[in-house]
Amino acid sequence: MNKLLAAGLLAAGLCTQAFAASEADVETAFEPYKKGFPTFPGLSAGMTINKDNVDQFKDALDAGMYMVIKNGWYQIKVGETLSFPNPKGYVEATRKNLNKTKLGAKTGEIEGFAGGRPFPEEPSTSDPRAGEKVAWNFKYGANWGDNAAIHPFYWKYRNMTTGQLERTLKFNFFFLNFKHRTDHAPTPEVTPNAANLYRAIYAQVLEPQDLKNTQLLIQKYEDDTKFDDAYLYLGFQRRVRRLAAGQVTDSFLGSDLMIEDFEGYESRVSDMQWKFVGTKNLLMPYYKHNDMKLSDEFKEEDGYKYVSFTGQGECFPDITWQLRKVHVVEAVPVNSNHPVGKRIMHFDAQVYGASRTLVYDRKGELWKSWTIGKAHPDFHLPINKGTGVALDDSFSMVDVQAKHCTTGQFKGKVDPKLSPANLFQVQNMRGGN
Protein backbone atom coordinates (compact mmCIF):
# COMPACT_ATOMS: atom_id res chain seq x y z
CA MET A 1 0.00 0.00 0.00
CA ASN A 2 1.23 3.49 -0.85
CA LYS A 3 2.61 5.08 2.34
CA LEU A 4 0.72 8.33 1.86
CA LEU A 5 -2.52 6.45 1.25
CA ALA A 6 -1.93 4.27 4.30
CA ALA A 7 -1.29 7.33 6.46
CA GLY A 8 -4.51 8.91 5.25
CA LEU A 9 -6.51 5.78 5.95
CA LEU A 10 -5.00 5.47 9.40
CA ALA A 11 -5.88 9.05 10.23
CA ALA A 12 -9.43 8.36 9.16
CA GLY A 13 -9.55 5.21 11.26
CA LEU A 14 -10.17 3.00 8.23
CA CYS A 15 -6.98 0.97 8.33
CA THR A 16 -5.97 -0.67 11.59
CA GLN A 17 -4.40 -3.84 10.26
CA ALA A 18 -1.06 -2.03 9.90
CA PHE A 19 -0.86 -2.26 13.69
CA ALA A 20 -2.17 -5.82 13.99
CA ALA A 21 -1.05 -7.72 17.08
CA SER A 22 0.91 -10.96 17.20
CA GLU A 23 1.20 -13.72 19.78
CA ALA A 24 4.47 -12.09 20.83
CA ASP A 25 2.55 -8.86 21.49
CA VAL A 26 0.13 -10.73 23.74
CA GLU A 27 3.03 -12.19 25.72
CA THR A 28 4.66 -8.78 26.05
CA ALA A 29 1.35 -7.22 27.10
CA PHE A 30 0.77 -9.61 29.98
CA GLU A 31 4.40 -10.46 30.83
CA PRO A 32 6.26 -7.17 30.28
CA TYR A 33 8.98 -8.10 32.78
CA LYS A 34 9.76 -11.58 31.46
CA LYS A 35 13.18 -10.39 30.27
CA GLY A 36 13.88 -8.35 33.38
CA PHE A 37 12.51 -5.55 35.51
CA PRO A 38 13.06 -1.88 34.66
CA THR A 39 15.87 0.05 36.33
CA PHE A 40 16.71 3.70 36.93
CA PRO A 41 20.14 5.09 37.86
CA GLY A 42 20.56 5.19 41.63
CA LEU A 43 17.10 3.78 42.36
CA SER A 44 16.86 0.67 44.52
CA ALA A 45 14.23 -1.09 46.63
CA GLY A 46 14.24 0.01 50.25
CA MET A 47 15.30 3.59 49.62
CA THR A 48 13.22 6.72 50.25
CA ILE A 49 12.68 9.58 47.81
CA ASN A 50 12.08 12.89 49.55
CA LYS A 51 12.43 16.61 48.81
CA ASP A 52 16.20 16.43 49.30
CA ASN A 53 16.91 13.83 46.60
CA VAL A 54 13.81 14.02 44.38
CA ASP A 55 15.58 15.91 41.58
CA GLN A 56 17.78 12.86 41.03
CA PHE A 57 14.68 10.78 40.30
CA LYS A 58 12.53 13.36 38.52
CA ASP A 59 12.38 11.33 35.32
CA ALA A 60 11.07 8.30 37.22
CA LEU A 61 8.09 10.28 38.54
CA ASP A 62 5.07 11.82 36.91
CA ALA A 63 4.97 15.62 37.06
CA GLY A 64 2.34 15.73 39.80
CA MET A 65 4.13 13.34 42.12
CA TYR A 66 7.40 15.17 41.56
CA MET A 67 5.68 18.39 42.68
CA VAL A 68 4.15 16.71 45.74
CA ILE A 69 7.51 15.37 46.89
CA LYS A 70 9.40 18.56 46.02
CA ASN A 71 6.95 20.51 48.20
CA GLY A 72 7.70 18.21 51.12
CA TRP A 73 4.14 16.92 51.33
CA TYR A 74 5.04 13.25 50.90
CA GLN A 75 7.99 10.93 50.52
CA ILE A 76 8.03 7.73 48.54
CA LYS A 77 9.33 4.43 49.84
CA VAL A 78 10.60 2.37 46.92
CA GLY A 79 9.57 -1.27 46.74
CA GLU A 80 10.71 -4.14 44.58
CA THR A 81 8.96 -4.37 41.20
CA LEU A 82 6.55 -7.29 40.99
CA SER A 83 4.86 -8.95 38.06
CA PHE A 84 1.10 -8.56 38.55
CA PRO A 85 -1.00 -11.30 36.98
CA ASN A 86 -4.14 -10.91 34.92
CA PRO A 87 -7.11 -13.32 35.20
CA LYS A 88 -6.39 -16.48 33.21
CA GLY A 89 -9.67 -16.39 31.31
CA TYR A 90 -9.09 -12.76 30.39
CA VAL A 91 -5.67 -13.57 28.93
CA GLU A 92 -7.07 -16.53 26.99
CA ALA A 93 -9.91 -14.38 25.64
CA THR A 94 -7.31 -11.91 24.39
CA ARG A 95 -5.56 -14.68 22.47
CA LYS A 96 -8.81 -16.12 21.14
CA ASN A 97 -10.03 -12.75 19.88
CA LEU A 98 -6.71 -11.43 18.62
CA ASN A 99 -7.14 -8.78 15.88
CA LYS A 100 -10.94 -9.12 15.79
CA THR A 101 -11.44 -5.64 17.24
CA LYS A 102 -11.43 -2.62 14.96
CA LEU A 103 -11.96 1.06 15.69
CA GLY A 104 -14.97 2.69 14.10
CA ALA A 105 -14.89 5.88 12.08
CA LYS A 106 -15.51 8.03 15.17
CA THR A 107 -14.10 8.01 18.69
CA GLY A 108 -16.29 5.78 20.83
CA GLU A 109 -17.16 3.42 18.01
CA ILE A 110 -15.71 -0.08 18.01
CA GLU A 111 -16.39 -3.24 16.02
CA GLY A 112 -15.81 -6.93 16.58
CA PHE A 113 -14.86 -6.84 20.25
CA ALA A 114 -15.62 -10.16 21.96
CA GLY A 115 -13.59 -10.19 25.19
CA GLY A 116 -10.11 -9.82 26.64
CA ARG A 117 -7.81 -6.88 25.87
CA PRO A 118 -8.98 -5.33 22.58
CA PHE A 119 -5.61 -3.96 21.43
CA PRO A 120 -2.73 -5.90 23.04
CA GLU A 121 -0.09 -4.53 20.66
CA GLU A 122 2.35 -1.92 21.93
CA PRO A 123 0.93 1.58 21.46
CA SER A 124 2.94 3.70 19.05
CA THR A 125 3.20 7.44 18.54
CA SER A 126 3.12 6.72 14.80
CA ASP A 127 -0.45 5.47 15.20
CA PRO A 128 -2.74 8.53 15.30
CA ARG A 129 -5.38 6.60 17.24
CA ALA A 130 -3.08 4.86 19.71
CA GLY A 131 -4.44 6.90 22.62
CA GLU A 132 -7.96 5.80 21.80
CA LYS A 133 -6.85 2.15 21.73
CA VAL A 134 -5.25 2.57 25.16
CA ALA A 135 -8.56 4.00 26.40
CA TRP A 136 -10.45 0.95 25.10
CA ASN A 137 -7.93 -1.36 26.76
CA PHE A 138 -8.65 0.45 30.02
CA LYS A 139 -12.41 0.34 29.58
CA TYR A 140 -12.35 -3.39 28.86
CA GLY A 141 -9.64 -4.12 31.42
CA ALA A 142 -9.87 -6.63 34.24
CA ASN A 143 -10.45 -4.06 36.98
CA TRP A 144 -12.29 -5.99 39.72
CA GLY A 145 -12.67 -8.94 37.35
CA ASP A 146 -16.14 -10.08 36.27
CA ASN A 147 -17.71 -9.05 39.56
CA ALA A 148 -16.46 -8.08 42.99
CA ALA A 149 -17.15 -5.87 45.98
CA ILE A 150 -15.46 -3.38 48.27
CA HIS A 151 -17.01 -4.48 51.46
CA PRO A 152 -16.58 -2.08 53.24
CA PHE A 153 -14.89 1.06 51.92
CA TYR A 154 -13.89 4.07 54.08
CA TRP A 155 -13.58 7.62 52.73
CA LYS A 156 -12.04 10.43 54.76
CA TYR A 157 -12.26 14.15 54.03
CA ARG A 158 -9.27 16.12 55.29
CA ASN A 159 -7.94 19.65 55.43
CA MET A 160 -4.51 19.14 53.95
CA THR A 161 -3.00 22.20 55.65
CA THR A 162 -4.11 21.45 59.21
CA GLY A 163 -4.63 17.70 58.97
CA GLN A 164 -8.13 18.10 60.43
CA LEU A 165 -10.34 15.08 59.73
CA GLU A 166 -13.63 16.60 58.66
CA ARG A 167 -15.69 13.53 57.91
CA THR A 168 -15.56 9.74 57.55
CA LEU A 169 -17.94 7.86 55.26
CA LYS A 170 -18.41 4.10 55.19
CA PHE A 171 -19.66 2.51 51.97
CA ASN A 172 -20.21 -0.80 50.29
CA PHE A 173 -19.36 -0.76 46.56
CA PHE A 174 -20.29 -3.51 44.10
CA PHE A 175 -19.22 -4.19 40.49
CA LEU A 176 -20.64 -6.43 37.78
CA ASN A 177 -19.70 -7.00 34.13
CA PHE A 178 -22.84 -7.94 32.23
CA LYS A 179 -20.90 -8.68 29.04
CA HIS A 180 -17.44 -9.98 28.05
CA ARG A 181 -17.12 -12.09 31.18
CA THR A 182 -14.14 -14.42 31.08
CA ASP A 183 -13.52 -16.01 34.48
CA HIS A 184 -16.70 -16.36 36.54
CA ALA A 185 -20.02 -17.90 35.55
CA PRO A 186 -22.05 -17.00 33.69
CA THR A 187 -19.74 -16.47 30.73
CA PRO A 188 -19.64 -14.65 28.40
CA GLU A 189 -22.72 -12.65 29.47
CA VAL A 190 -25.29 -12.24 32.22
CA THR A 191 -28.77 -12.84 30.82
CA PRO A 192 -31.34 -11.46 30.46
CA ASN A 193 -29.68 -8.19 29.41
CA ALA A 194 -32.35 -6.47 27.34
CA ALA A 195 -30.74 -3.03 27.79
CA ASN A 196 -27.42 -4.35 26.43
CA LEU A 197 -25.46 -3.11 29.43
CA TYR A 198 -21.73 -3.70 29.57
CA ARG A 199 -21.07 -2.95 33.25
CA ALA A 200 -22.69 -1.56 36.37
CA ILE A 201 -21.60 -0.11 39.70
CA TYR A 202 -23.73 0.10 42.82
CA ALA A 203 -22.77 1.89 46.02
CA GLN A 204 -24.52 2.29 49.35
CA VAL A 205 -23.56 4.57 52.25
CA LEU A 206 -23.58 2.84 55.65
CA GLU A 207 -22.33 5.75 57.78
CA PRO A 208 -22.67 8.56 58.92
CA GLN A 209 -26.31 8.70 59.94
CA ASP A 210 -27.23 11.78 57.89
CA LEU A 211 -26.14 10.03 54.66
CA LYS A 212 -27.09 6.47 55.63
CA ASN A 213 -28.70 4.49 52.81
CA THR A 214 -27.71 7.02 50.16
CA GLN A 215 -27.27 4.85 47.07
CA LEU A 216 -25.68 5.31 43.65
CA LEU A 217 -26.27 3.13 40.61
CA ILE A 218 -24.32 3.54 37.37
CA GLN A 219 -25.32 1.50 34.33
CA LYS A 220 -22.85 1.55 31.45
CA TYR A 221 -23.99 0.54 27.98
CA GLU A 222 -22.12 -1.64 25.52
CA ASP A 223 -22.65 1.17 23.01
CA ASP A 224 -20.09 3.74 24.17
CA THR A 225 -21.82 6.53 22.24
CA LYS A 226 -24.86 6.12 24.50
CA PHE A 227 -24.78 8.10 27.76
CA ASP A 228 -24.49 6.07 30.96
CA ASP A 229 -27.53 5.94 33.19
CA ALA A 230 -26.84 7.13 36.74
CA TYR A 231 -29.31 7.12 39.61
CA LEU A 232 -29.05 8.52 43.13
CA TYR A 233 -31.22 7.46 46.05
CA LEU A 234 -31.20 9.88 48.96
CA GLY A 235 -32.28 8.11 52.11
CA PHE A 236 -33.73 11.19 53.78
CA GLN A 237 -35.86 11.95 50.69
CA ARG A 238 -36.76 8.30 50.07
CA ARG A 239 -36.77 8.70 46.34
CA VAL A 240 -34.62 7.81 43.36
CA ARG A 241 -33.61 10.57 40.99
CA ARG A 242 -31.84 10.19 37.69
CA LEU A 243 -28.63 12.18 37.37
CA ALA A 244 -28.15 14.37 34.34
CA ALA A 245 -25.03 13.67 32.29
CA GLY A 246 -23.34 16.84 33.57
CA GLN A 247 -23.75 15.83 37.21
CA VAL A 248 -21.04 13.18 36.94
CA THR A 249 -18.56 16.07 37.08
CA ASP A 250 -20.01 17.54 40.29
CA SER A 251 -18.43 16.87 43.68
CA PHE A 252 -19.74 13.51 44.90
CA LEU A 253 -21.20 13.81 48.42
CA GLY A 254 -18.97 16.79 49.18
CA SER A 255 -15.73 14.92 48.47
CA ASP A 256 -12.82 15.87 46.21
CA LEU A 257 -14.02 13.22 43.72
CA MET A 258 -16.52 13.49 40.92
CA ILE A 259 -18.24 10.36 39.64
CA GLU A 260 -16.12 10.67 36.50
CA ASP A 261 -13.03 10.02 38.68
CA PHE A 262 -14.21 6.61 39.90
CA GLU A 263 -11.77 3.78 39.11
CA GLY A 264 -9.47 6.30 37.46
CA TYR A 265 -11.97 7.36 34.80
CA GLU A 266 -15.65 6.45 34.76
CA SER A 267 -17.01 8.26 31.70
CA ARG A 268 -17.18 7.17 28.07
CA VAL A 269 -14.35 6.79 25.59
CA SER A 270 -16.34 9.08 23.31
CA ASP A 271 -16.28 11.90 25.90
CA MET A 272 -12.57 12.56 25.37
CA GLN A 273 -10.00 13.16 22.68
CA TRP A 274 -7.19 10.71 23.41
CA LYS A 275 -3.55 11.35 22.58
CA PHE A 276 -0.86 8.77 23.26
CA VAL A 277 2.14 10.59 24.76
CA GLY A 278 4.55 7.68 25.14
CA THR A 279 5.68 4.75 27.26
CA LYS A 280 7.89 5.32 30.30
CA ASN A 281 9.23 3.54 33.36
CA LEU A 282 7.69 5.36 36.32
CA LEU A 283 7.21 4.78 40.03
CA MET A 284 3.67 3.58 40.58
CA PRO A 285 1.62 2.69 43.69
CA TYR A 286 1.74 -1.11 43.38
CA TYR A 287 2.51 -3.27 46.41
CA LYS A 288 1.83 -6.29 48.62
CA HIS A 289 -0.93 -5.24 51.03
CA ASN A 290 0.12 -7.69 53.76
CA ASP A 291 3.64 -6.19 53.84
CA MET A 292 2.50 -2.58 54.31
CA LYS A 293 2.14 -0.56 57.50
CA LEU A 294 -1.52 -1.18 58.28
CA SER A 295 -3.97 0.76 60.42
CA ASP A 296 -5.54 -0.45 63.67
CA GLU A 297 -8.32 2.13 63.39
CA PHE A 298 -11.08 -0.07 61.97
CA LYS A 299 -11.84 -3.45 63.51
CA GLU A 300 -12.87 -6.25 61.17
CA GLU A 301 -14.05 -9.62 62.48
CA ASP A 302 -11.63 -11.49 60.24
CA GLY A 303 -8.68 -9.39 61.44
CA TYR A 304 -8.27 -7.53 58.14
CA LYS A 305 -6.44 -4.23 58.44
CA TYR A 306 -6.48 -1.26 56.08
CA VAL A 307 -3.63 0.72 54.57
CA SER A 308 -2.49 3.67 56.73
CA PHE A 309 -2.04 7.24 55.52
CA THR A 310 0.84 9.64 56.04
CA GLY A 311 2.39 12.86 54.72
CA GLN A 312 0.95 16.38 54.72
CA GLY A 313 -2.50 16.24 56.32
CA GLU A 314 -2.36 12.40 56.19
CA CYS A 315 -3.42 12.74 52.58
CA PHE A 316 -1.11 10.09 51.08
CA PRO A 317 -1.07 6.27 51.35
CA ASP A 318 1.69 4.78 53.49
CA ILE A 319 2.75 2.24 50.87
CA THR A 320 5.71 1.31 48.72
CA TRP A 321 5.99 2.39 45.07
CA GLN A 322 7.64 0.34 42.35
CA LEU A 323 9.19 1.16 38.99
CA ARG A 324 6.80 -0.05 36.29
CA LYS A 325 6.16 0.18 32.57
CA VAL A 326 3.51 2.84 32.00
CA HIS A 327 1.58 4.17 28.99
CA VAL A 328 0.95 7.92 29.25
CA VAL A 329 -2.13 9.39 27.58
CA GLU A 330 -3.60 12.89 27.43
CA ALA A 331 -7.40 13.03 27.54
CA VAL A 332 -9.11 16.31 26.60
CA PRO A 333 -12.90 16.63 27.07
CA VAL A 334 -14.95 16.97 23.90
CA ASN A 335 -17.42 19.19 25.75
CA SER A 336 -15.94 22.70 26.03
CA ASN A 337 -18.03 23.30 29.19
CA HIS A 338 -16.42 20.42 31.03
CA PRO A 339 -14.78 21.62 34.30
CA VAL A 340 -11.63 19.63 33.52
CA GLY A 341 -9.20 21.05 30.97
CA LYS A 342 -7.36 17.76 30.49
CA ARG A 343 -6.34 14.58 32.24
CA ILE A 344 -2.85 13.15 32.00
CA MET A 345 -3.43 9.47 32.68
CA HIS A 346 -0.80 6.87 33.50
CA PHE A 347 -1.93 3.35 32.59
CA ASP A 348 0.05 0.43 33.93
CA ALA A 349 1.13 -1.57 30.87
CA GLN A 350 0.54 -4.95 32.52
CA VAL A 351 -2.87 -4.57 34.18
CA TYR A 352 -4.09 -1.28 32.67
CA GLY A 353 -4.94 0.28 36.01
CA ALA A 354 -5.19 4.08 35.89
CA SER A 355 -3.20 4.41 39.07
CA ARG A 356 -1.92 7.96 38.56
CA THR A 357 -3.96 10.73 36.97
CA LEU A 358 -3.20 14.45 36.90
CA VAL A 359 -6.32 16.56 36.51
CA TYR A 360 -5.82 20.06 35.10
CA ASP A 361 -8.34 22.89 35.22
CA ARG A 362 -9.50 24.85 32.19
CA LYS A 363 -6.70 27.38 32.71
CA GLY A 364 -4.17 24.59 32.25
CA GLU A 365 -3.09 24.53 35.90
CA LEU A 366 -2.79 21.36 37.97
CA TRP A 367 -5.97 20.96 39.95
CA LYS A 368 -5.98 17.44 41.42
CA SER A 369 -3.49 14.64 41.93
CA TRP A 370 -5.23 11.23 41.82
CA THR A 371 -3.61 8.07 43.16
CA ILE A 372 -5.14 4.58 43.23
CA GLY A 373 -2.95 2.07 45.07
CA LYS A 374 -2.98 -1.45 43.60
CA ALA A 375 -2.40 -4.52 45.76
CA HIS A 376 -1.21 -7.91 44.46
CA PRO A 377 -4.10 -10.40 44.92
CA ASP A 378 -1.86 -13.16 46.29
CA PHE A 379 -0.83 -11.05 49.30
CA HIS A 380 -4.23 -9.91 50.45
CA LEU A 381 -7.41 -11.63 51.68
CA PRO A 382 -7.41 -15.40 51.01
CA ILE A 383 -10.44 -15.14 48.71
CA ASN A 384 -8.43 -12.97 46.29
CA LYS A 385 -5.46 -15.31 45.94
CA GLY A 386 -5.06 -16.69 42.45
CA THR A 387 -7.74 -14.46 40.90
CA GLY A 388 -5.27 -12.40 38.86
CA VAL A 389 -7.14 -9.21 39.76
CA ALA A 390 -4.90 -6.29 40.75
CA LEU A 391 -6.91 -4.90 43.65
CA ASP A 392 -7.78 -1.26 44.18
CA ASP A 393 -6.60 -1.01 47.78
CA SER A 394 -6.08 2.67 48.67
CA PHE A 395 -6.77 6.02 47.10
CA SER A 396 -5.75 9.63 47.50
CA MET A 397 -7.43 12.50 45.69
CA VAL A 398 -5.56 15.69 46.52
CA ASP A 399 -6.92 19.07 45.44
CA VAL A 400 -3.57 20.86 45.24
CA GLN A 401 -5.28 24.23 44.74
CA ALA A 402 -7.68 24.04 47.70
CA LYS A 403 -5.17 22.09 49.85
CA HIS A 404 -7.79 19.47 50.62
CA CYS A 405 -7.95 15.72 50.14
CA THR A 406 -10.22 12.70 50.15
CA THR A 407 -8.66 9.33 50.94
CA GLY A 408 -9.96 5.80 50.58
CA GLN A 409 -9.25 2.53 52.37
CA PHE A 410 -10.55 -0.63 50.71
CA LYS A 411 -11.47 -4.12 51.73
CA GLY A 412 -11.82 -5.57 48.26
CA LYS A 413 -13.16 -9.05 47.59
CA VAL A 414 -13.25 -10.85 44.24
CA ASP A 415 -16.35 -12.79 45.25
CA PRO A 416 -19.14 -13.11 42.64
CA LYS A 417 -21.66 -14.06 45.33
CA LEU A 418 -21.51 -10.51 46.70
CA SER A 419 -22.59 -8.92 43.40
CA PRO A 420 -25.74 -10.62 42.04
CA ALA A 421 -27.31 -9.05 38.97
CA ASN A 422 -30.48 -7.94 40.79
CA LEU A 423 -28.36 -5.58 42.90
CA PHE A 424 -27.81 -3.37 39.85
CA GLN A 425 -31.46 -2.48 39.17
CA VAL A 426 -33.28 0.73 40.03
CA GLN A 427 -35.96 -1.35 41.75
CA ASN A 428 -33.34 -2.54 44.23
CA MET A 429 -32.67 1.05 45.28
CA ARG A 430 -36.33 1.70 45.91
CA GLY A 431 -36.37 -1.34 48.15
CA GLY A 432 -34.42 0.70 50.69
CA ASN A 433 -31.85 -1.91 51.63
Side-chain angles (χ1 to χ4, degrees):
M1 182 183 293
N2 179 280
K3 290 183 179 180
L4 289 176
L5 175 60
L9 290 172
L10 283 166
L14 300 176
C15 178
T16 58
Q17 280 302 105
F19 297 96
S22 66
E23 285 288 343
D25 287 322
V26 175
E27 183 171 344
T28 299
F30 294 115
E31 297 289 346
Y33 310 120
K34 194 168 186 178
K35 296 180 180 179
F37 293 108
T39 60
F40 189 88
L43 187 74
S44 60
M47 72 178 300
T48 297
I49 300 176
N50 56 34
K51 63 180 180 179
D52 297 324
N53 65 356
V54 68
D55 286 332
Q56 181 183 349
F57 303 105
K58 184 176 182 179
D59 290 340
L61 297 162
D62 65 77
M65 190 48 59
Y66 170 78
M67 184 205 73
V68 162
I69 299 172
K70 189 70 173 177
N71 287 347
W73 297 343
Y74 184 44
Q75 56 186 27
I76 277 182
K77 293 179 288 187
V78 179
E80 186 177 0
T81 301
L82 305 171
S83 180
F84 272 63
N86 278 263
K88 293 178 181 178
Y90 182 80
V91 176
E92 286 307 308
T94 303
R95 288 196 173 96
K96 178 182 177 182
N97 298 311
L98 192 61
N99 295 318
K100 290 182 180 179
T101 307
K102 304 291 186 294
L103 295 177
K106 298 179 181 179
T107 300
E109 295 179 348
I110 197 170
E111 301 169 1
F113 177 68
R117 186 172 294 176
F119 302 102
E121 65 270 19
E122 286 286 293
S124 170
T125 53
S126 64
D127 178 357
R129 301 186 74 178
E132 189 181 344
K133 292 176 182 177
V134 170
W136 282 110
N137 286 349
F138 170 70
K139 174 174 178 173
Y140 287 129
N143 205 43
W144 290 115
D146 294 328
N147 41 337
I150 313 170
H151 198 267
F153 190 10
Y154 289 96
W155 289 23
K156 292 182 178 180
Y157 303 1
R158 289 187 177 275
N159 182 311
M160 185 175 166
T161 302
T162 66
Q164 178 188 1
L165 176 60
E166 299 168 348
R167 193 161 223 207
T168 301
L169 274 61
K170 182 181 181 181
F171 292 89
N172 283 333
F173 264 69
F174 304 89
F175 308 88
L176 175 70
N177 287 352
F178 280 87
K179 296 177 74 74
H180 312 304
R181 300 171 59 83
T182 58
D183 287 81
H184 290 106
T187 58
E189 182 177 1
V190 173
T191 55
N193 183 15
N196 200 27
L197 297 175
Y198 159 55
R199 196 166 191 260
I201 300 172
Y202 170 70
Q204 181 182 29
V205 179
L206 307 176
E207 299 173 3
Q209 187 62 36
D210 64 318
L211 291 176
K212 187 174 181 178
N213 206 34
T214 296
Q215 301 167 59
L216 175 69
L217 174 64
I218 302 171
Q219 296 174 329
K220 303 180 72 65
Y221 290 92
E222 174 73 351
D223 180 357
D224 186 83
T225 65
K226 190 173 181 178
F227 282 108
D228 299 344
D229 285 336
Y231 303 89
L232 189 67
Y233 176 88
L234 299 173
F236 63 88
Q237 292 184 349
R238 296 191 176 184
R239 70 182 183 92
V240 176
R241 63 184 179 92
R242 187 169 181 169
L243 299 182
Q247 290 180 278
V248 300
T249 55
D250 293 340
S251 168
F252 180 64
L253 301 182
S255 73
D256 297 288
L257 281 78
M258 54 184 79
I259 292 173
E260 186 176 279
D261 295 319
F262 287 8
E263 300 186 89
Y265 176 73
E266 194 50 58
S267 290
R268 304 174 301 165
V269 173
S270 52
D271 286 328
M272 297 282 168
Q273 295 173 325
W274 303 88
K275 177 185 176 183
F276 175 61
V277 177
T279 299
K280 301 180 180 180
N281 292 328
L282 297 174
L283 285 161
M284 296 287 277
Y286 283 60
Y287 53 90
K288 296 179 181 178
H289 174 98
N290 294 341
D291 290 351
M292 297 301 100
K293 178 183 178 182
L294 303 175
S295 172
D296 292 319
E297 180 179 3
F298 305 114
K299 305 298 181 183
E300 296 287 332
E301 291 183 1
D302 60 1
Y304 179 84
K305 293 184 178 182
Y306 298 81
V307 164
S308 297
F309 278 74
T310 186
Q312 181 70 38
E314 294 188 26
C315 285
F316 303 91
D318 196 356
I319 58 174
T320 55
W321 294 59
Q322 55 184 255
L323 193 66
R324 299 185 62 81
K325 180 181 177 181
V326 175
H327 301 312
V328 185
V329 172
E330 177 184 276
V332 176
V334 173
N335 183 353
S336 60
N337 294 320
H338 197 291
V340 170
K342 66 178 179 180
R343 294 175 180 269
I344 301 297
M345 305 185 68
H346 301 80
F347 296 101
D348 183 83
Q350 187 170 27
V351 303
Y352 263 86
S355 293
R356 283 287 299 151
T357 299
L358 307 181
V359 182
Y360 291 81
D361 64 20
R362 293 173 66 181
K363 297 178 182 177
E365 297 175 355
L366 183 61
W367 176 14
K368 294 188 287 189
S369 178
W370 186 204
T371 301
I372 302 176
K374 288 279 194 180
H376 196 294
D378 296 349
F379 305 92
H380 202 267
L381 288 166
I383 197 168
N384 298 321
K385 188 173 183 179
T387 61
V389 174
L391 304 163
D392 290 356
D393 194 60
S394 60
F395 82 63
S396 166
M397 178 64 90
V398 179
D399 185 328
V400 300
Q401 296 183 8
K403 301 296 190 295
H404 195 273
C405 71
T406 303
T407 62
Q409 293 157 287
F410 299 67
K411 185 181 181 183
K413 302 176 183 178
V414 183
D415 183 355
K417 296 190 297 294
L418 294 175
S419 299
N422 62 5
L423 199 61
F424 303 89
Q425 300 174 358
V426 175
Q427 292 85 342
N428 172 69
M429 304 173 80
R430 294 194 178 104
N433 287 345

